[in-house]
Amino acid sequence: MSNRNHEVTDCLPLLNSDGTLREPGWSRRMVQIYDRNAIKKRKTRIKEWDYYCVISNKHNIAVCFTVSDLGYLEMESVSFLDFNTATEHTQPVLAPFPMGKLNMPPSSRTGDVKVKNKSLGLEFLVGDGKRVIRCDYPSFDDGKGLKVNITLDNPDEDTMVIATPWAEDEKAFYYNQKINCMCASGRIEYDGRTYELDPETDFGGLDWGRGVWTYNNYWYWGSGSGNVNGHRFGFNIGYGFGDTKAASENVIFYDGVAHKIDDVTFNISDNFIDPWTFSSSDGRFEMDFVPIIDRNDFTSVANLIVTDQHQVFGRMTGKAILDDGTVIEIKDFLCFAEKVHNKY
């Protein structure tokens, strides 16, 4: 194991008194304590978000939900993806200058996120080893409408938490938790159809993030959760965001236990629908990936505010190796991987 996998175990404030990151590294639980008031940057630079993605292998569909306070911009986003027809619809709701008004919780373990406006009601509720997603979006997709009530089983198991600084700005940081392999139950109503979720085949993941970014960033991220031969298997892979000398975010999950791996490289052509491959420096994550949908979005405002996102959903085939050498082989595993460029 490389020294780029420093594991944080002490429960201390995330930031020093001068606003710098106290201990860069990764952890299995959210042990470092985030406090928005300890940040030594202007409020417009603070970014806080919760993102859920629920993939149904039973129905071959997915839904994604974002609530984010990006300082000068509030954004809620909802997506419905149908892998049977290789179609998707994403519809955001934007508002100016939230700067803390959303009251995003300082920890992923407690606290609810609730948004209600004239077009969208969206709630992320946390408690009793469960997470609940409720969404009511009547105008979604030209009035086809989306209504969701999903419960994710969230026992106290290993996750991937990372605290990352930026070399070019000592008071910029990224504090992030990825929770994989949460069994999903409940229902999704879209365009006159109702999809009942099955916790044996359908899984959700959470991307919880707080921090202050630098202005211009690229990142690569991939995530998947599913059932492999009766075992809950998942992964979180990524790189490119901040100074990751202390730790990477690459983790394999197997029956609730995290297995830390080294660097993973995304091999992508300029055409995102072409097949990808993934390879790891320690040989423990070697995958082929066949895309189904490129959920892409490009926005530029005078080239000052730019977002260029390619979140690609598809099926992965290959092998992952656990800490004890056990080889997990997966085939046609439904997941996503993305390349994103943001300037804001």
Side-chain angles (χ1 to χ4, degrees):
M1 188 68 68
S2 78
N3 60 5
R4 291 188 61 256
N5 287 304
H6 172 65
E7 184 170 353
V8 179
T9 57
D10 293 334
C11 184
L12 292 168
L14 178 71
L15 302 179
N16 294 307
S17 59
D18 62 358
T20 57
L21 194 60
R22 181 186 299 271
E23 187 178 1
W26 85 285
S27 52
R28 299 167 195 269
R29 305 289 196 281
M30 190 168 281
V31 294
Q32 301 191 77
I33 302 165
Y34 170 79
D35 178 2
R36 180 184 175 95
N37 295 321
I39 296 173
K40 305 300 184 185
K41 302 286 281 189
R42 64 183 187 273
K43 288 184 178 180
T44 53
R45 299 305 304 162
I46 300 174
K47 294 174 171 48
E48 302 179 322
W49 72 93
D50 288 14
Y51 166 83
Y52 285 92
C53 179
V54 180
I55 294 179
S56 170
N57 288 280
K58 176 182 177 181
H59 299 291
N60 217 23
I61 62 170
V63 284
C64 307
F65 309 92
T66 303
V67 174
S68 58
D69 179 337
L70 304 175
Y72 51 82
L73 181 69
E74 174 187 339
M75 183 187 73
E76 289 78 51
S77 179
V78 176
S79 299
F80 181 91
L81 303 100
D82 188 334
F83 306 118
N84 302 289
T85 57
T87 56
E88 68 90 15
H89 182 73
T90 298
Q91 192 164 322
V93 178
L94 306 175
F97 297 105
M99 293 195 294
K101 288 185 292 188
L102 290 178
N103 295 312
M104 302 292 282
S107 168
S108 69
R109 290 190 296 269
T110 60
D112 299 333
V113 174
K114 297 183 179 181
V115 173
K116 178 71 174 174
N117 53 51
K118 62 183 181 181
S119 56
L120 171 66
L122 186 56
E123 297 182 339
F124 304 151
L125 311 177
V126 181
D128 297 326
K130 308 282 185 185
R131 295 175 181 272
V132 176
I133 303 168
R134 293 178 182 158
C135 174
D136 189 10
Y137 204 166
S139 65
F140 184 80
D141 200 1
D142 293 326
K144 292 177 181 176
L146 183 71
K147 193 169 186 178
V148 165
N149 191 335
I150 296 172
T151 298
L152 301 177
D153 196 25
N154 185 205
D156 182 20
E157 298 178 335
D158 286 353
T159 68
M160 192 296 301
V161 182
I162 193 166
T164 303
W166 265 268
E168 59 267 38
D169 185 344
E170 64 179 7
K171 293 178 182 176
F173 69 94
Y174 171 57
Y175 190 43
N176 177 235
Q177 182 179 41
K178 305 286 180 33
I179 303 178
N180 286 62
C181 302
M182 292 186 284
C183 300
S185 57
R187 64 172 48 192
I188 299 166
E189 300 174 43
Y190 167 70
D191 193 19
R193 288 193 61 183
T194 298
Y195 304 87
E196 296 284 350
L197 299 181
D198 183 345
E200 293 294 318
T201 60
D202 303 339
F203 295 87
L206 168 64
D207 171 17
W208 183 99
R210 307 289 185 264
V212 175
W213 308 351
T214 53
Y215 168 64
N216 187 5
N217 288 285
Y218 285 86
W219 74 71
Y220 298 81
W221 176 39
S223 179
S225 300
N227 186 321
V228 177
N229 298 323
H231 298 269
R232 285 181 301 129
F233 169 85
F235 62 86
N236 185 83
I237 53 176
Y239 60 99
F241 201 47
D243 180 359
T244 57
K245 285 199 296 286
S248 75
E249 63 177 85
N250 300 313
V251 175
I252 299 164
F253 298 99
Y254 195 69
D255 285 340
V257 177
H259 300 256
K260 191 72 179 68
I261 58 176
D262 283 347
D263 296 324
V264 175
T265 301
F266 293 36
N267 302 302
I268 320 166
S269 79
D270 291 335
N271 181 4
F272 287 85
I273 292 298
D274 287 343
W276 303 19
T277 63
F278 299 85
S279 57
S280 55
S281 58
D282 55 11
R284 293 178 57 190
F285 193 88
E286 304 294 324
M287 299 288 175
D288 297 318
F289 179 66
V290 178
I292 301 171
I293 296 172
D294 176 11
R295 194 183 73 80
N296 65 295
D297 177 54
F298 179 81
T299 304
S300 178
V301 180
N303 204 37
L304 294 174
I305 299 173
V306 176
T307 179
D308 186 7
Q309 304 180 15
H310 291 269
Q311 184 184 31
V312 180
F313 288 77
R315 295 189 180 276
M316 195 174 279
T317 298
K319 68 174 184 177
I321 301 177
L322 306 183
D323 289 344
D324 66 0
T326 300
V327 178
I328 309 300
E329 294 192 4
I330 66 170
K331 183 173 175 57
D332 298 332
F333 189 83
L334 196 53
C335 58
F336 68 82
E338 67 181 30
K339 179 182 180 182
V340 173
H341 178 210
N342 283 325
K343 293 199 297 185
Y344 54 61

mmCIF file of all heavy atoms in Angstrom, residues 189-226:
data_model
loop_
_atom_site.group_PDB
_atom_site.id
_atom_site.type_symbol
_atom_site.label_atom_id
_atom_site.label_comp_id
_atom_site.label_asym_id
_atom_site.label_seq_id
_atom_site.Cartn_x
_atom_site.Cartn_y
_atom_site.Cartn_z
ATOM 1 N N GLU A 189 -42.507 7.114 -9.715
ATOM 2 C CA GLU A 189 -43.605 7.334 -10.661
ATOM 3 C C GLU A 189 -43.154 8.336 -11.707
ATOM 4 O O GLU A 189 -42.759 9.455 -11.374
ATOM 5 C CB GLU A 189 -44.844 7.839 -9.920
ATOM 6 C CG GLU A 189 -45.380 6.894 -8.865
ATOM 7 C CD GLU A 189 -46.519 7.501 -8.057
ATOM 8 O OE1 GLU A 189 -47.403 8.139 -8.670
ATOM 9 O OE2 GLU A 189 -46.506 7.364 -6.822
ATOM 10 N N TYR A 190 -43.212 7.909 -12.983
ATOM 11 C CA TYR A 190 -42.752 8.768 -14.074
ATOM 12 C C TYR A 190 -43.568 8.472 -15.329
ATOM 13 O O TYR A 190 -43.724 7.304 -15.709
ATOM 14 C CB TYR A 190 -41.261 8.527 -14.343
ATOM 15 C CG TYR A 190 -40.748 9.134 -15.636
ATOM 16 C CD1 TYR A 190 -40.629 10.509 -15.778
ATOM 17 C CD2 TYR A 190 -40.403 8.323 -16.715
ATOM 18 C CE1 TYR A 190 -40.167 11.062 -16.965
ATOM 19 C CE2 TYR A 190 -39.934 8.860 -17.894
ATOM 20 C CZ TYR A 190 -39.821 10.234 -18.018
ATOM 21 O OH TYR A 190 -39.374 10.787 -19.210
ATOM 22 N N ASP A 191 -44.105 9.504 -15.920
ATOM 23 C CA ASP A 191 -44.789 9.401 -17.217
ATOM 24 C C ASP A 191 -45.874 8.319 -17.197
ATOM 25 O O ASP A 191 -45.997 7.505 -18.128
ATOM 26 C CB ASP A 191 -43.769 9.121 -18.320
ATOM 27 C CG ASP A 191 -44.356 9.322 -19.727
ATOM 28 O OD1 ASP A 191 -45.403 10.002 -19.831
ATOM 29 O OD2 ASP A 191 -43.773 8.782 -20.689
ATOM 30 N N GLY A 192 -46.651 8.281 -16.112
ATOM 31 C CA GLY A 192 -47.767 7.353 -16.036
ATOM 32 C C GLY A 192 -47.408 5.941 -15.624
ATOM 33 O O GLY A 192 -48.298 5.078 -15.522
ATOM 34 N N ARG A 193 -46.118 5.667 -15.382
ATOM 35 C CA ARG A 193 -45.693 4.337 -14.958
ATOM 36 C C ARG A 193 -45.198 4.376 -13.514
ATOM 37 O O ARG A 193 -44.660 5.389 -13.060
ATOM 38 C CB ARG A 193 -44.559 3.809 -15.841
ATOM 39 C CG ARG A 193 -44.979 3.408 -17.234
ATOM 40 C CD ARG A 193 -43.881 2.617 -17.917
ATOM 41 N NE ARG A 193 -43.555 1.373 -17.198
ATOM 42 C CZ ARG A 193 -42.584 0.549 -17.569
ATOM 43 N NH1 ARG A 193 -41.828 0.819 -18.629
ATOM 44 N NH2 ARG A 193 -42.350 -0.557 -16.876
ATOM 45 N N THR A 194 -45.390 3.270 -12.808
ATOM 46 C CA THR A 194 -44.884 3.142 -11.445
ATOM 47 C C THR A 194 -43.874 2.007 -11.397
ATOM 48 O O THR A 194 -44.136 0.901 -11.885
ATOM 49 C CB THR A 194 -46.024 2.856 -10.459
ATOM 50 O OG1 THR A 194 -46.936 3.960 -10.464
ATOM 51 C CG2 THR A 194 -45.483 2.677 -9.046
ATOM 52 N N TYR A 195 -42.710 2.308 -10.830
ATOM 53 C CA TYR A 195 -41.634 1.327 -10.683
ATOM 54 C C TYR A 195 -41.453 1.030 -9.199
ATOM 55 O O TYR A 195 -41.093 1.932 -8.427
ATOM 56 C CB TYR A 195 -40.324 1.868 -11.266
ATOM 57 C CG TYR A 195 -40.393 2.294 -12.714
ATOM 58 C CD1 TYR A 195 -40.790 3.581 -13.055
ATOM 59 C CD2 TYR A 195 -40.052 1.414 -13.742
ATOM 60 C CE1 TYR A 195 -40.837 3.995 -14.387
ATOM 61 C CE2 TYR A 195 -40.104 1.807 -15.071
ATOM 62 C CZ TYR A 195 -40.489 3.102 -15.381
ATOM 63 O OH TYR A 195 -40.537 3.497 -16.709
ATOM 64 N N GLU A 196 -41.703 -0.194 -8.794
ATOM 65 C CA GLU A 196 -41.478 -0.612 -7.415
ATOM 66 C C GLU A 196 -40.051 -1.155 -7.290
ATOM 67 O O GLU A 196 -39.656 -2.068 -8.029
ATOM 68 C CB GLU A 196 -42.481 -1.701 -7.014
ATOM 69 C CG GLU A 196 -43.931 -1.240 -7.004
ATOM 70 C CD GLU A 196 -44.285 -0.389 -5.786
ATOM 71 O OE1 GLU A 196 -43.451 -0.312 -4.858
ATOM 72 O OE2 GLU A 196 -45.387 0.184 -5.780
ATOM 73 N N LEU A 197 -39.296 -0.612 -6.368
ATOM 74 C CA LEU A 197 -37.904 -1.001 -6.220
ATOM 75 C C LEU A 197 -37.767 -2.266 -5.373
ATOM 76 O O LEU A 197 -38.566 -2.519 -4.475
ATOM 77 C CB LEU A 197 -37.098 0.142 -5.593
ATOM 78 C CG LEU A 197 -37.065 1.442 -6.399
ATOM 79 C CD1 LEU A 197 -36.218 2.497 -5.680
ATOM 80 C CD2 LEU A 197 -36.525 1.212 -7.808
ATOM 81 N N ASP A 198 -36.713 -3.022 -5.663
ATOM 82 C CA ASP A 198 -36.435 -4.282 -4.979
ATOM 83 C C ASP A 198 -35.073 -4.180 -4.296
ATOM 84 O O ASP A 198 -34.048 -4.035 -4.973
ATOM 85 C CB ASP A 198 -36.425 -5.423 -5.995
ATOM 86 C CG ASP A 198 -36.214 -6.789 -5.354
ATOM 87 O OD1 ASP A 198 -35.792 -6.860 -4.187
ATOM 88 O OD2 ASP A 198 -36.459 -7.807 -6.046
ATOM 89 N N PRO A 199 -35.019 -4.245 -2.959
ATOM 90 C CA PRO A 199 -33.736 -4.092 -2.259
ATOM 91 C C PRO A 199 -32.727 -5.198 -2.549
ATOM 92 O O PRO A 199 -31.556 -5.056 -2.211
ATOM 93 C CB PRO A 199 -34.142 -4.071 -0.780
ATOM 94 C CG PRO A 199 -35.488 -4.700 -0.722
ATOM 95 C CD PRO A 199 -36.151 -4.393 -2.021
ATOM 96 N N GLU A 200 -33.153 -6.280 -3.180
ATOM 97 C CA GLU A 200 -32.208 -7.330 -3.567
ATOM 98 C C GLU A 200 -31.406 -6.938 -4.811
ATOM 99 O O GLU A 200 -30.294 -7.439 -5.012
ATOM 100 C CB GLU A 200 -32.959 -8.637 -3.832
ATOM 101 C CG GLU A 200 -33.592 -9.252 -2.600
ATOM 102 C CD GLU A 200 -32.547 -9.719 -1.597
ATOM 103 O OE1 GLU A 200 -31.536 -10.293 -2.023
ATOM 104 O OE2 GLU A 200 -32.748 -9.486 -0.383
ATOM 105 N N THR A 201 -31.975 -6.081 -5.648
ATOM 106 C CA THR A 201 -31.347 -5.758 -6.937
ATOM 107 C C THR A 201 -31.072 -4.275 -7.130
ATOM 108 O O THR A 201 -30.311 -3.908 -8.031
ATOM 109 C CB THR A 201 -32.252 -6.220 -8.092
ATOM 110 O OG1 THR A 201 -33.525 -5.551 -7.989
ATOM 111 C CG2 THR A 201 -32.471 -7.721 -8.062
ATOM 112 N N ASP A 202 -31.673 -3.416 -6.312
ATOM 113 C CA ASP A 202 -31.632 -1.970 -6.538
ATOM 114 C C ASP A 202 -30.891 -1.277 -5.400
ATOM 115 O O ASP A 202 -31.133 -1.569 -4.226
ATOM 116 C CB ASP A 202 -33.058 -1.431 -6.659
ATOM 117 C CG ASP A 202 -33.839 -2.130 -7.775
ATOM 118 O OD1 ASP A 202 -33.194 -2.711 -8.669
ATOM 119 O OD2 ASP A 202 -35.085 -2.110 -7.731
ATOM 120 N N PHE A 203 -30.010 -0.349 -5.772
ATOM 121 C CA PHE A 203 -29.093 0.230 -4.790
ATOM 122 C C PHE A 203 -28.928 1.732 -5.010
ATOM 123 O O PHE A 203 -28.997 2.220 -6.140
ATOM 124 C CB PHE A 203 -27.720 -0.445 -4.879
ATOM 125 C CG PHE A 203 -27.733 -1.890 -4.508
ATOM 126 C CD1 PHE A 203 -28.021 -2.863 -5.450
ATOM 127 C CD2 PHE A 203 -27.502 -2.288 -3.199
ATOM 128 C CE1 PHE A 203 -28.056 -4.205 -5.101
ATOM 129 C CE2 PHE A 203 -27.524 -3.623 -2.838
ATOM 130 C CZ PHE A 203 -27.809 -4.584 -3.799
ATOM 131 N N GLY A 204 -28.677 2.425 -3.907
ATOM 132 C CA GLY A 204 -28.430 3.854 -3.959
ATOM 133 C C GLY A 204 -27.054 4.206 -3.434
ATOM 134 O O GLY A 204 -26.444 3.460 -2.656
ATOM 135 N N GLY A 205 -26.573 5.363 -3.869
ATOM 136 C CA GLY A 205 -25.309 5.903 -3.385
ATOM 137 C C GLY A 205 -25.447 7.374 -3.080
ATOM 138 O O GLY A 205 -26.280 8.073 -3.678
ATOM 139 N N LEU A 206 -24.647 7.840 -2.136
ATOM 140 C CA LEU A 206 -24.635 9.249 -1.734
ATOM 141 C C LEU A 206 -23.266 9.848 -1.984
ATOM 142 O O LEU A 206 -22.241 9.253 -1.630
ATOM 143 C CB LEU A 206 -24.985 9.389 -0.246
ATOM 144 C CG LEU A 206 -24.751 10.764 0.396
ATOM 145 C CD1 LEU A 206 -25.643 11.829 -0.221
ATOM 146 C CD2 LEU A 206 -24.971 10.704 1.906
ATOM 147 N N ASP A 207 -23.255 11.039 -2.580
ATOM 148 C CA ASP A 207 -22.061 11.876 -2.692
ATOM 149 C C ASP A 207 -22.345 13.130 -1.864
ATOM 150 O O ASP A 207 -23.144 13.973 -2.261
ATOM 151 C CB ASP A 207 -21.806 12.212 -4.162
ATOM 152 C CG ASP A 207 -20.721 13.253 -4.367
ATOM 153 O OD1 ASP A 207 -19.930 13.499 -3.434
ATOM 154 O OD2 ASP A 207 -20.662 13.848 -5.467
ATOM 155 N N TRP A 208 -21.704 13.211 -0.697
ATOM 156 C CA TRP A 208 -21.907 14.316 0.258
ATOM 157 C C TRP A 208 -20.632 15.152 0.258
ATOM 158 O O TRP A 208 -19.547 14.626 0.525
ATOM 159 C CB TRP A 208 -22.174 13.739 1.643
ATOM 160 C CG TRP A 208 -22.483 14.707 2.754
ATOM 161 C CD1 TRP A 208 -23.713 15.023 3.234
ATOM 162 C CD2 TRP A 208 -21.544 15.441 3.562
ATOM 163 N NE1 TRP A 208 -23.599 15.914 4.284
ATOM 164 C CE2 TRP A 208 -22.272 16.191 4.491
ATOM 165 C CE3 TRP A 208 -20.145 15.546 3.557
ATOM 166 C CZ2 TRP A 208 -21.668 17.024 5.430
ATOM 167 C CZ3 TRP A 208 -19.541 16.385 4.488
ATOM 168 C CH2 TRP A 208 -20.302 17.110 5.412
ATOM 169 N N GLY A 209 -20.757 16.442 -0.035
ATOM 170 C CA GLY A 209 -19.543 17.254 -0.131
ATOM 171 C C GLY A 209 -19.708 18.635 0.464
ATOM 172 O O GLY A 209 -20.769 19.264 0.365
ATOM 173 N N ARG A 210 -18.634 19.102 1.089
ATOM 174 C CA ARG A 210 -18.560 20.452 1.621
ATOM 175 C C ARG A 210 -17.159 20.976 1.350
ATOM 176 O O ARG A 210 -16.178 20.219 1.407
ATOM 177 C CB ARG A 210 -18.827 20.471 3.139
ATOM 178 C CG ARG A 210 -20.127 19.790 3.600
ATOM 179 C CD ARG A 210 -21.361 20.577 3.221
ATOM 180 N NE ARG A 210 -22.590 19.999 3.752
ATOM 181 C CZ ARG A 210 -23.395 19.175 3.084
ATOM 182 N NH1 ARG A 210 -23.066 18.784 1.852
ATOM 183 N NH2 ARG A 210 -24.524 18.728 3.620
ATOM 184 N N GLY A 211 -17.032 22.271 1.074
ATOM 185 C CA GLY A 211 -15.678 22.779 0.899
ATOM 186 C C GLY A 211 -15.594 24.100 0.169
ATOM 187 O O GLY A 211 -16.593 24.770 -0.109
ATOM 188 N N VAL A 212 -14.364 24.462 -0.123
ATOM 189 C CA VAL A 212 -14.021 25.647 -0.902
ATOM 190 C C VAL A 212 -13.098 25.185 -2.017
ATOM 191 O O VAL A 212 -12.017 24.669 -1.748
ATOM 192 C CB VAL A 212 -13.313 26.713 -0.040
ATOM 193 C CG1 VAL A 212 -12.851 27.873 -0.911
ATOM 194 C CG2 VAL A 212 -14.226 27.205 1.071
ATOM 195 N N TRP A 213 -13.537 25.345 -3.259
ATOM 196 C CA TRP A 213 -12.729 24.904 -4.387
ATOM 197 C C TRP A 213 -11.934 26.059 -4.955
ATOM 198 O O TRP A 213 -12.262 27.226 -4.756
ATOM 199 C CB TRP A 213 -13.604 24.357 -5.511
ATOM 200 C CG TRP A 213 -14.589 23.314 -5.148
ATOM 201 C CD1 TRP A 213 -14.704 22.655 -3.945
ATOM 202 C CD2 TRP A 213 -15.630 22.809 -5.989
ATOM 203 N NE1 TRP A 213 -15.750 21.764 -4.002
ATOM 204 C CE2 TRP A 213 -16.337 21.837 -5.240
ATOM 205 C CE3 TRP A 213 -16.025 23.068 -7.291
ATOM 206 C CZ2 TRP A 213 -17.417 21.140 -5.767
ATOM 207 C CZ3 TRP A 213 -17.098 22.372 -7.824
ATOM 208 C CH2 TRP A 213 -17.781 21.415 -7.067
ATOM 209 N N THR A 214 -10.898 25.728 -5.694
ATOM 210 C CA THR A 214 -10.265 26.717 -6.560
ATOM 211 C C THR A 214 -11.146 26.910 -7.793
ATOM 212 O O THR A 214 -12.114 26.182 -8.020
ATOM 213 C CB THR A 214 -8.846 26.271 -6.949
ATOM 214 O OG1 THR A 214 -8.915 24.956 -7.505
ATOM 215 C CG2 THR A 214 -7.935 26.256 -5.731
ATOM 216 N N TYR A 215 -10.802 27.886 -8.620
ATOM 217 C CA TYR A 215 -11.700 28.348 -9.692
ATOM 218 C C TYR A 215 -11.831 27.353 -10.840
ATOM 219 O O TYR A 215 -12.923 27.130 -11.366
ATOM 220 C CB TYR A 215 -11.185 29.697 -10.201
ATOM 221 C CG TYR A 215 -11.811 30.182 -11.482
ATOM 222 C CD1 TYR A 215 -13.176 30.495 -11.541
ATOM 223 C CD2 TYR A 215 -11.054 30.327 -12.640
ATOM 224 C CE1 TYR A 215 -13.753 30.945 -12.709
ATOM 225 C CE2 TYR A 215 -11.628 30.772 -13.810
ATOM 226 C CZ TYR A 215 -12.973 31.083 -13.842
ATOM 227 O OH TYR A 215 -13.551 31.524 -15.005
ATOM 228 N N ASN A 216 -10.741 26.714 -11.239
ATOM 229 C CA ASN A 216 -10.722 25.922 -12.474
ATOM 230 C C ASN A 216 -10.317 24.485 -12.150
ATOM 231 O O ASN A 216 -9.191 24.243 -11.708
ATOM 232 C CB ASN A 216 -9.733 26.552 -13.462
ATOM 233 C CG ASN A 216 -9.781 25.894 -14.824
ATOM 234 O OD1 ASN A 216 -10.601 25.022 -15.090
ATOM 235 N ND2 ASN A 216 -8.896 26.313 -15.706
ATOM 236 N N ASN A 217 -11.224 23.523 -12.362
ATOM 237 C CA ASN A 217 -10.949 22.150 -11.959
ATOM 238 C C ASN A 217 -11.481 21.133 -12.960
ATOM 239 O O ASN A 217 -12.553 21.313 -13.548
ATOM 240 C CB ASN A 217 -11.619 21.851 -10.607
ATOM 241 C CG ASN A 217 -10.922 22.538 -9.455
ATOM 242 O OD1 ASN A 217 -9.860 22.112 -9.034
ATOM 243 N ND2 ASN A 217 -11.525 23.606 -8.952
ATOM 244 N N TYR A 218 -10.711 20.061 -13.117
ATOM 245 C CA TYR A 218 -11.178 18.840 -13.774
ATOM 246 C C TYR A 218 -11.261 17.741 -12.716
ATOM 247 O O TYR A 218 -10.443 17.713 -11.794
ATOM 248 C CB TYR A 218 -10.187 18.377 -14.848
ATOM 249 C CG TYR A 218 -10.181 19.172 -16.115
ATOM 250 C CD1 TYR A 218 -9.397 20.316 -16.223
ATOM 251 C CD2 TYR A 218 -10.937 18.774 -17.218
ATOM 252 C CE1 TYR A 218 -9.372 21.047 -17.400
ATOM 253 C CE2 TYR A 218 -10.911 19.494 -18.399
ATOM 254 C CZ TYR A 218 -10.127 20.634 -18.490
ATOM 255 O OH TYR A 218 -10.102 21.355 -19.653
ATOM 256 N N TRP A 219 -12.215 16.856 -12.850
ATOM 257 C CA TRP A 219 -12.176 15.653 -12.018
ATOM 258 C C TRP A 219 -12.735 14.455 -12.777
ATOM 259 O O TRP A 219 -13.510 14.594 -13.716
ATOM 260 C CB TRP A 219 -12.882 15.832 -10.687
ATOM 261 C CG TRP A 219 -14.387 15.865 -10.701
ATOM 262 C CD1 TRP A 219 -15.241 14.826 -10.932
ATOM 263 C CD2 TRP A 219 -15.216 17.003 -10.421
ATOM 264 N NE1 TRP A 219 -16.550 15.244 -10.813
ATOM 265 C CE2 TRP A 219 -16.555 16.562 -10.514
ATOM 266 C CE3 TRP A 219 -14.938 18.332 -10.090
ATOM 267 C CZ2 TRP A 219 -17.628 17.433 -10.289
ATOM 268 C CZ3 TRP A 219 -16.007 19.174 -9.874
ATOM 269 C CH2 TRP A 219 -17.325 18.727 -9.965
ATOM 270 N N TYR A 220 -12.312 13.299 -12.324
ATOM 271 C CA TYR A 220 -12.808 12.016 -12.812
ATOM 272 C C TYR A 220 -13.407 11.295 -11.610
ATOM 273 O O TYR A 220 -12.809 11.252 -10.540
ATOM 274 C CB TYR A 220 -11.671 11.177 -13.395
ATOM 275 C CG TYR A 220 -10.980 11.798 -14.589
ATOM 276 C CD1 TYR A 220 -9.996 12.778 -14.422
ATOM 277 C CD2 TYR A 220 -11.301 11.400 -15.883
ATOM 278 C CE1 TYR A 220 -9.366 13.344 -15.504
ATOM 279 C CE2 TYR A 220 -10.664 11.957 -16.982
ATOM 280 C CZ TYR A 220 -9.697 12.936 -16.786
ATOM 281 O OH TYR A 220 -9.068 13.495 -17.863
ATOM 282 N N TRP A 221 -14.588 10.704 -11.826
ATOM 283 C CA TRP A 221 -15.251 9.993 -10.728
ATOM 284 C C TRP A 221 -16.051 8.834 -11.300
ATOM 285 O O TRP A 221 -16.689 8.971 -12.355
ATOM 286 C CB TRP A 221 -16.182 10.939 -9.961
ATOM 287 C CG TRP A 221 -16.974 10.270 -8.864
ATOM 288 C CD1 TRP A 221 -16.544 9.302 -8.004
ATOM 289 C CD2 TRP A 221 -18.351 10.513 -8.524
ATOM 290 N NE1 TRP A 221 -17.548 8.935 -7.140
ATOM 291 C CE2 TRP A 221 -18.669 9.658 -7.442
ATOM 292 C CE3 TRP A 221 -19.325 11.370 -9.023
ATOM 293 C CZ2 TRP A 221 -19.932 9.639 -6.854
ATOM 294 C CZ3 TRP A 221 -20.582 11.346 -8.442
ATOM 295 C CH2 TRP A 221 -20.875 10.499 -7.362
ATOM 296 N N GLY A 222 -16.010 7.698 -10.610
ATOM 297 C CA GLY A 222 -16.830 6.553 -10.986
ATOM 298 C C GLY A 222 -17.374 5.879 -9.742
ATOM 299 O O GLY A 222 -16.731 5.854 -8.695
ATOM 300 N N SER A 223 -18.592 5.322 -9.866
ATOM 301 C CA SER A 223 -19.219 4.696 -8.710
ATOM 302 C C SER A 223 -20.193 3.629 -9.174
ATOM 303 O O SER A 223 -20.859 3.772 -10.206
ATOM 304 C CB SER A 223 -19.964 5.747 -7.875
ATOM 305 O OG SER A 223 -20.593 5.167 -6.755
ATOM 306 N N GLY A 224 -20.274 2.567 -8.388
ATOM 307 C CA GLY A 224 -21.239 1.520 -8.670
ATOM 308 C C GLY A 224 -21.577 0.761 -7.407
ATOM 309 O O GLY A 224 -20.767 0.663 -6.488
ATOM 310 N N SER A 225 -22.787 0.216 -7.367
ATOM 311 C CA SER A 225 -23.253 -0.592 -6.232
ATOM 312 C C SER A 225 -24.177 -1.666 -6.777
ATOM 313 O O SER A 225 -25.022 -1.381 -7.635
ATOM 314 C CB SER A 225 -24.023 0.264 -5.221
ATOM 315 O OG SER A 225 -23.228 1.302 -4.697
ATOM 316 N N GLY A 226 -23.998 -2.891 -6.271
ATOM 317 C CA GLY A 226 -24.858 -3.954 -6.760
ATOM 318 C C GLY A 226 -24.707 -5.233 -5.964
ATOM 319 O O GLY A 226 -24.051 -5.273 -4.913
#
